[in-house]
Amino acid sequence: MPFDNIELFPMTAGINAADHLTLGGCDVADLAAEFGTPLLVYDEDTLRSMCRKFLNGFTSRYSNTMVAYASKAFLNTAIAKLMAEEGMGMDVVSGGELAVAIAAGMPMGKVYFHGNNKSPQELEFAVESGIGRIVIDSFNELSMLDEIAGNKRVVQDVLVRLSPNVDPHTHAFTTTGILDSKFGFAIETGDSARAIRQAIAAPNLNLVGVHFHLGSPIFELKPYADAVNTILTYLAPFREEGLDLQEFSPGGGFAIGYTRDQPPPEISEYADTIATALKAKCAELGFGEPMMTIEPGRSIVGRAGVSLYTVGAIKDIPTVRKYVSVDGGMGDNIRPALYGSQYEAVVASRMSDAPEEVITLAGKYCESGDILIRDIEMPVMEAGDLVAIPSSGAYVPAMASNYNLNPRPAIVMVKDGSARIIRRRESYQDLMAMDVV
Ligand SMILES: *Cc1c(COP(=O)(O)O)cnc(C)c1O
């Protein structure tokens, strides 16, 4: 049975005879009973389908494309294995993410290391592990990596991250490709030119191409085309100085639907825009068509994840606001508090109940800012109701904390009517496991 915001939920979502939400053929009330709440549920079919949509969507328009999952959106060993099975590459932004990629058997040639301040230890670890590419983001990193690679008698393939000064019109905290940014070498200041020249000259580095990433989530198509055009035009003269553009990475940032009034573009539209711009500009400027690496994170895992909570305290402050509190909040999903991110929610245990009142869905953390959804129309809820928040798969468990010493939730993967734990719920013992008395 369809419901009116079903497109925000995983592709397998439905409603069963008990009027409960189902995901991957599992009744979410059964999942809550078996695994407890808060609970994060990932739908395996949606995850795999999103990988394939990106792989097919891009390679059908630009055959020489590598799709690297930007693992900071959510990484654990099970997810990394799934990405490897689907033929995805992987972006990592820390030694920790790299360690998980290695443990999961990710092919190292398809792993890219990003970040604006990689430590010497992280760079050594990356070079030793035979990582495919390191994306250089600062002069400090450039000279340090050249030295590290030299000491290990390795010539490391690298990209440089350029900042094209294109505004993708997203939240200031998630905009990365404008001049005022800690990411990348700015074209305007001349830093890009110096970085390209230094990378070409570095004896232990092999500059294979460039990367940019505009920010996230980007609901517009034009910023991608603008940035492709700006950067290729900018790069053309560097060919005389030895630049061989074998690779080109327009990053990630592809949007997903969080609320029904802001639907994202189709993946095919992003692919069309980027492939068309890249082909046309390469032809115009006489570049051979480079390999393209795209780096979706949010758009791979976001829709696949649904957060489940149980309603507890309800406080009605007449003429002001009605607070309905759940058993999670900013510790398991900090996005509303951090970026003002918006979500929708359903009462997963009474799916056909009509919305009747405007409430504020609050968390259980000791911060007034711990609000999951402000002013949402919901059916009248009572303690014990199960609430589901869709589009919770990206930057949710990845940013979870133990604030207030709440154990972080369990994560389960559902498929064809069965559920398996991919991360167990933390225990109070876990919370003290690193303490030294
Ligand atoms: C975060 C990031 C991405 C992925 O962004 P999404 O919005 O999750 O697709 C891709 N590339 C780089 C360099 C990033 O930092």
Side-chain angles (χ1 to χ4, degrees), residues 20 70 120 127 236 304 386:
H20 294 174
V127 173
L386 201 56

Side-chain angles (χ1 to χ4, degrees), residues 18-20 28-29 32-33 36-38 307-314 322 324-328 345-351 353-354 356-357 359 361-362 378-389:
D19 201 25
H20 294 174
V28 297
T37 58
S307 293
L308 294 179
Y309 300 100
T310 304
V311 171
I314 298 178
K322 183 168 177 180
V324 175
S325 294
V326 296
D327 54 356
V346 296
V347 181
S349 40
R350 291 186 281 119
M351 288 294 285
D353 283 17
E356 269 186 78
E357 58 177 4
I359 58 105
L361 199 69
M378 295 289 282
V380 176
M381 290 187 273
E382 48 191 60
D385 277 338
L386 201 56
V387 171
I389 298 187

Side-chain angles (χ1 to χ4, degrees), residues 254-323:
F254 312 107
I256 63 168
Y258 284 103
T259 55
R260 71 193 88 178
D261 56 339
Q262 200 184 18
E266 296 288 335
I267 292 162
S268 56
E269 295 180 275
Y270 288 115
D272 255 344
T273 302
I274 293 171
T276 304
L278 186 53
K279 282 183 175 171
K281 209 65 185 174
C282 282
E284 180 193 323
L285 298 169
F287 275 108
E289 284 179 12
M291 175 181 131
M292 172 159 68
T293 306
I294 56 151
E295 306 171 337
R298 182 190 315 276
S299 46
I300 297 287
V301 291
R303 183 181 172 187
V306 177
S307 293
L308 294 179
Y309 300 100
T310 304
V311 171
I314 298 178
K315 258 173 224 169
D316 193 0
I317 308 169
T319 74
V320 175
R321 181 178 295 286
K322 183 168 177 180
Y323 287 96

Side-chain angles (χ1 to χ4, degrees), residues 1 3 5-16 19-32 35 39-46 302-309 346 348-349 351 386-393 411-420:
M1 196 203 298
F3 42 100
N5 54 358
I6 194 165
E7 75 283 355
L8 305 177
F9 283 81
M11 295 163 185
T12 62
I15 303 177
N16 64 14
D19 201 25
H20 294 174
L21 174 67
T22 63
L23 301 171
C26 298
D27 182 326
V28 297
D30 294 343
L31 297 177
F35 303 107
L39 183 68
L40 184 56
V41 182
Y42 279 94
D43 176 48
E44 187 172 333
D45 288 352
T46 303
R303 183 181 172 187
V306 177
S307 293
L308 294 179
Y309 300 100
V346 296
S349 40
M351 288 294 285
L386 201 56
V387 171
I389 298 187
S391 303
S392 292
I411 305 177
V412 299
M413 183 93 82
V414 292
K415 182 177 170 55
D416 297 336
S418 57
R420 68 188 162 98

Side-chain angles (χ1 to χ4, degrees), residues 2 34 44 141 201 225 247 291 368 373 379 382 396 409-410 418:
E34 182 173 355
E44 187 172 333
E141 179 182 358
E247 280 190 37
M291 175 181 131
S368 294
I373 307 177
E382 48 191 60
V396 173
S418 57

